Amino acid sequence: MAKITTATLLKMKQQGEKITMLTAYDASFAKLFADSGVETLLVGDSLGMVLQGQPDTLPVTVEQIAYHTRCVRAGAPQAFIIADMPFMSYATMEQAFANVTPMMQAGANMVKMEGGEFLLPTIKALTERGVPVCGHIGLTPQSVHVFGGFKVQGRDDAAAEHILQQAIALEQAGCQLLVVECIPSLLAERISLALRIPVIGIGAGVVTDGQVLVMHDLLGISSGYIPKFSKNFLQETGDIKKAISKFVADVKSAAFPGPEHSF
């Protein structure tokens, strides 16, 4: 695989080619995903749930994400790697400056932050200082206690308009990528058309510029339940390599996600 950059991803959006993204936490799976054609790897704070057995993502630390980022980079030297900024690691601009450093030094190409208006000055300051930022709106798991659980966001007109305006503001502040999670497909389509930057969906329908899944959900090995927006590709193929290849092919052809995975 040729080295993937922000310019690669932007060109893919412009040419209408879907972008694939999976969470990765170690070198072995990172290599498998990259060799299978997955362009972007997310070292997600989801590791708190799928690796550590926590009930949510809140206990994950900066040091843990940096450690796993280093592992993923070792396995996938050409991949585009995004490191999640953990809960309350970017509550102030000073915290963000301090905490992005170990992420980028560990091999991340970009950091991901959840939230809207309060983040805009921080995103602008980081991008001015050479740190690419991925935004994340809709259902933001670090705010699970505010939302009262893992619930679909943007269902009514006012909430949908607010999320759309958040997306536009994040791009204007300097975000070069945006993840939208658990929002209605029609809203995801509006956002994808409104933004120049690539929009990656999870539980946001097939109309976004790409798709991301937690690897454990894709392989059907998550403890607990498989979310509505996910699919057990391993059950369908019976082989891990084939499951990853099927995910890539189905995203590229817009066969996944289907209506049954969307809101």
Side-chain angles (χ1 to χ4, degrees):
M1 177 190 283
K3 191 170 183 65
I4 306 294
T5 66
T6 51
T8 311
L9 302 178
L10 183 59
K11 186 176 181 182
M12 289 176 71
K13 168 159 181 155
Q14 292 166 346
Q15 295 179 342
E17 181 183 352
K18 298 283 189 181
I19 298 163
T20 57
M21 182 188 296
L22 287 174
T23 63
Y25 315 98
D26 64 38
S28 299
F29 273 106
K31 183 178 190 309
L32 171 61
F33 297 162
D35 289 349
S36 300
V38 179
E39 291 94 7
T40 50
L41 303 179
L42 171 63
V43 183
D45 59 4
S46 49
L47 70 86
M49 300 172 77
V50 297
L51 298 189
Q52 299 174 349
Q54 303 285 355
D56 51 45
T57 64
L58 274 56
V60 176
T61 67
V62 169
E63 292 74 21
Q64 289 166 351
I65 294 283
Y67 167 81
H68 287 281
T69 299
R70 195 169 289 109
C71 295
V72 169
R73 175 54 74 200
Q78 301 298 99
F80 191 85
I81 297 176
I82 303 170
D84 254 342
M85 294 291 289
F87 177 66
M88 291 299 285
S89 67
Y90 50 98
T92 67
M93 199 176 295
E94 290 71 23
Q95 280 181 314
F97 285 172
N99 290 326
V100 298
T101 303
M103 308 296 192
M104 301 300 287
Q105 290 176 337
N109 299 105
M110 179 178 274
V111 295
K112 181 167 76 63
M113 299 177 170
E114 298 180 9
E117 289 82 358
F118 84 94
L119 270 181
L120 301 178
T122 299
I123 291 166
K124 185 173 186 296
L126 286 173
T127 54
E128 286 174 348
R129 289 160 176 79
V131 180
V133 178
C134 174
H136 184 160
I137 56 175
L139 172 61
T140 46
Q142 290 176 13
S143 301
V144 63
H145 296 309
V146 175
F147 293 144
F150 294 96
K151 298 179 179 178
V152 179
Q153 303 297 305
R155 284 197 184 273
D156 63 70
D157 290 346
E161 184 62 28
H162 179 63
I163 291 173
L164 173 62
Q165 293 307 317
Q166 278 186 325
I168 293 168
L170 287 167
E171 179 181 59
Q172 291 173 343
C175 278
Q176 292 178 283
L177 202 66
L178 181 67
V179 170
V180 292
E181 180 169 357
C182 284
I183 62 172
S185 299
L186 287 175
L187 174 56
E189 184 173 27
R190 289 176 66 196
I191 293 171
S192 301
L193 291 172
L195 300 192
R196 185 184 64 88
I197 61 173
V199 177
I200 309 298
I202 177 166
V206 75
V207 292
T208 52
D209 303 306
Q211 299 291 329
V212 57
L213 284 181
V214 173
M215 58 166 279
H216 294 68
D217 291 345
L218 179 146
L219 298 174
I221 55 174
S222 292
S223 58
Y225 79 107
I226 301 293
K228 170 189 164 104
F229 54 73
S230 191
K231 179 180 177 181
N232 184 343
F233 284 86
L234 181 58
Q235 186 177 44
E236 186 175 334
T237 59
D239 177 271
I240 289 179
K241 288 185 179 180
K242 289 178 182 176
I244 306 308
S245 296
K246 181 85 165 88
F247 166 74
V248 172
D250 283 5
V251 170
K252 297 288 185 186
S253 67
F256 177 80
E260 69 273 24
H261 308 114
S262 307
F263 302 101

